[in-house]
Amino acid sequence: MKTHFTDIKHLIQVRRNTIKLVAGTDMAHLPSLENAFLSIENDKIVDFGEMKDFRSSSQDEIIDLKGKIVLPTWVDSHTHLVFAGSRENEFTDRIKGLSYQEIAERGGGILNSAEKLKHADEECLFQEAFKRLNRLIALGTGAIEIKSGYGLSHEAELKMLRVIKRLQQNSPIPVKSTYLAAHALPTEFKNSKTDYVTSIIEDTLPYVAKENLAEYIDVFCEKGYFDLVDTDRILKAGAKFGLKPKVHVNQFNAFGGVKVSVENNAVSIDHLEVLTAEDIEQLKHSDTIPVALPGCSFFLGIPYTPGRTLINEGLPLALASDYNPGSTPNGNMNSILSLACIKMKLLPEEAINALTINAAAALELSEKVGSISKGKLANFIITKPITSYNYLPYSYGENCIDQVWINGKKFDYESH
Ligand code: NIG
Ligand code: FE
């Protein structure tokens, strides 16, 4: 039996020929239909079009969506969703004047989360992350990436990755796993960073690969964390096991992380708050997708990724939440949409493309999600009656979502 959604005021991001991503001026184009229908069967989209072309058979279910807008669910290609505890004390320290880096130098930051995670029970970690994930689905996230990186030891990293695997197995949405191999230097390796990197490469990475715990590998390539040599070593070691790079680069400093990531065929490079002309040239000659994380810029009060420049230079751009307890305690992609428009000066069309089709490409999920296309998963958002899709980023504090459908079923948050 098919289900038809009819009289849709505006059906957004319809793509008849599936394309991988949009770049440059094409990002301002968001194909959509007015007064439309959408048909689904089992977990897939089977048809869509204008109401004048709508046909149904008597066994089909029809759901009238007058006044409502339908768009594909958001794809969040960068999160640290598995974590223990919160860090609001650092939040108040920052209000009083300390910077993110100063807090980290005093043993806070990632080390603070790692200490909490070390003592957290695996089952509790899973239950908390599962709740977070379901809250995000109710807010319209229909595919997600989750990183390890708060373990900082063989055992604790594996604990995180096992939790991510359980989320993969229990969640209705696609979950991609990233081994964030080098996130911060644990205190016991304070004077021997090279040994720590060697232990990652020789002890943990082979195990992660053997147990099939991750598809991607990540490094926090940043001054005071891991340098170009560390990044290159880890990415090359990951590649030997088939793990593809998605890298944290240029959050605070630009010193060649983009080049190293591109040379290692990174699927995406994420953050990029600081970008040089040379970095942009590197990106132009690569298939690596730049990912901006405006929630982090907002929360830490650091510069926003120059997304406008990237688009004007003809590049694609994806947007993600970076949900984590330190720099972005928010996984709500609707607020990322608003921040991208308000702070990065992206048009709503550009931002919606960056949160859907391009984000799907940054997660290598273009065949399954990211647009309303025949054969893709029936993962979509139905809004409350609103005037236009511009209202979504504009009304930045309002929840405009009426329903979220995942795999062809209405997502029921209450049952989770
Ligand atoms: O992407 N910058 C590196 N990692 C995270 C933040 C980690 C933390 O502060 O807990 C990020 O912003
Ligand atoms: Fe991050």
Side-chain angles (χ1 to χ4, degrees):
M1 187 187 77
K2 290 183 187 162
T3 302
H4 307 284
F5 299 85
T6 56
D7 290 303
I8 302 168
K9 182 187 172 81
H10 225 148
L11 181 62
I12 308 295
Q13 189 64 297
V14 291
R15 303 271 175 183
R16 289 192 190 276
N17 303 317
T18 47
I19 49 164
K20 192 179 149 206
L21 49 73
V22 282
T25 49
D26 288 345
M27 283 194 68
H29 178 57
L30 184 65
S32 52
L33 297 172
E34 274 174 43
N35 196 18
F37 72 91
L38 172 68
S39 305
I40 65 172
E41 188 166 23
N42 302 321
D43 61 343
K44 299 273 169 23
I45 295 170
V46 292
D47 202 5
F48 60 87
E50 291 178 25
M51 276 311 289
K52 65 177 170 50
D53 301 320
F54 176 64
R55 308 275 174 278
S56 74
S57 79
S58 55
Q59 306 96 313
D60 296 346
E61 183 187 11
I62 295 193
I63 300 177
D64 182 85
L65 293 186
K66 204 172 246 66
K68 299 179 179 181
I69 290 177
V70 172
L71 64 155
T73 45
W74 311 125
V75 176
D76 195 349
S77 70
H78 181 141
T79 82
H80 309 247
L81 184 91
V82 177
F83 57 84
S86 54
R87 303 216 314 251
E88 68 273 25
N89 293 347
E90 296 178 10
F91 169 68
T92 53
D93 285 344
R94 275 203 311 283
I95 294 171
K96 290 179 198 154
L98 286 184
S99 70
Y100 180 80
Q101 288 99 317
E102 284 164 341
I103 291 166
E105 278 156 20
R106 294 174 184 205
I110 295 163
L111 293 185
N112 181 350
S113 284
E115 187 58 26
K116 292 189 166 93
L117 188 122
K118 186 169 139 190
H119 301 290
D121 166 75
E122 189 167 324
E123 178 63 27
C124 286
L125 271 181
F126 168 74
Q127 292 300 342
E128 285 184 15
F130 193 54
K131 258 189 260 158
R132 271 178 217 129
L133 183 55
N134 286 319
R135 272 202 299 270
L136 296 186
I137 298 172
L139 289 166
T141 297
I144 198 166
E145 181 256 20
I146 308 176
K147 298 171 194 299
S148 68
Y150 289 125
L152 312 188
S153 73
H154 180 77
E155 261 322 308
E157 281 300 311
L158 294 178
K159 178 164 73 173
M160 285 192 81
L161 289 165
R162 285 193 300 266
V163 169
I164 299 171
K165 189 158 207 165
R166 273 183 76 187
L167 294 169
Q168 262 168 350
Q169 289 162 345
N170 288 281
S171 165
I173 67 168
V175 174
K176 293 268 197 152
S177 173
T178 299
Y179 171 35
L180 174 41
H183 199 191
L185 198 59
T187 324
E188 57 275 28
F189 282 91
K190 212 163 96 197
N191 299 313
S192 49
K193 180 160 64 76
T194 309
D195 292 346
Y196 181 57
V197 172
T198 302
S199 83
I200 287 169
I201 291 172
E202 290 182 2
D203 303 336
T204 310
L205 174 60
Y207 194 89
V208 170
K210 188 171 79 153
E211 297 292 313
N212 205 8
L213 288 171
E215 185 174 346
Y216 302 105
I217 189 151
D218 192 352
V219 176
F220 186 19
C221 178
E222 184 56 63
K223 284 195 181 153
Y225 293 83
F226 296 93
D227 62 23
L228 299 181
V229 173
D230 305 326
T231 305
D232 193 52
R233 277 185 75 196
I234 293 170
L235 299 188
K236 288 206 162 54
K240 284 204 188 114
F241 290 102
L243 269 69
K244 295 162 277 185
K246 285 174 79 66
V247 198
H248 281 74
V249 286
N250 289 38
Q251 183 175 1
F252 301 107
N253 298 283
F255 56 94
V258 171
K259 184 161 183 272
V260 167
S261 305
V262 163
E263 281 170 357
N264 281 286
N265 302 314
V267 174
S268 74
I269 47 174
D270 305 34
H271 272 290
L272 312 176
E273 287 86 342
V274 185
L275 262 187
T276 65
E278 196 197 323
D279 291 333
I280 293 177
E281 276 314 300
Q282 291 289 340
L283 276 167
K284 279 188 189 170
H285 297 101
S286 78
D287 290 330
T288 301
I289 300 173
V291 180
L293 311 167
C296 174
S297 300
F298 173 73
F299 191 70
L300 294 186
I302 62 174
Y304 284 82
T305 304
R308 234 337 350 116
T309 310
L310 291 168
I311 295 171
N312 293 349
E313 291 283 344
L315 287 162
L317 180 73
L319 288 160
S321 76
D322 195 22
Y323 189 12
N324 75 75
S327 72
T328 333
N330 173 22
N332 182 345
M333 293 290 269
N334 305 284
S335 59
I336 301 304
L337 173 66
S338 291
L339 286 173
C341 295
I342 299 164
K343 295 293 193 179
M344 296 171 68
K345 303 285 176 224
L346 263 59
L347 293 168
E349 290 83 358
E350 292 171 325
I352 292 173
N353 276 320
L355 283 157
T356 56
I357 195 154
N358 286 3
L363 260 196
E364 298 185 296
L365 280 174
S366 303
E367 314 242 303
K368 284 194 168 170
V369 291
S371 64
I372 301 291
S373 304
K374 287 187 202 175
K376 285 200 182 182
L377 288 177
N379 287 11
F380 54 91
I381 295 168
I382 302 174
T383 70
K384 293 171 185 162
I386 55 173
T387 39
S388 76
Y389 60 76
N390 291 335
Y391 189 86
L392 295 170
Y394 155 84
S395 185
Y396 70 91
E398 182 182 350
N399 184 357
C400 298
I401 296 178
D402 180 32
Q403 299 169 27
V404 176
W405 283 65
I406 300 293
N407 301 325
K409 292 194 194 74
K410 186 173 163 185
F411 181 71
D412 178 9
Y413 177 61
E414 299 309 322
S415 70
H416 288 281

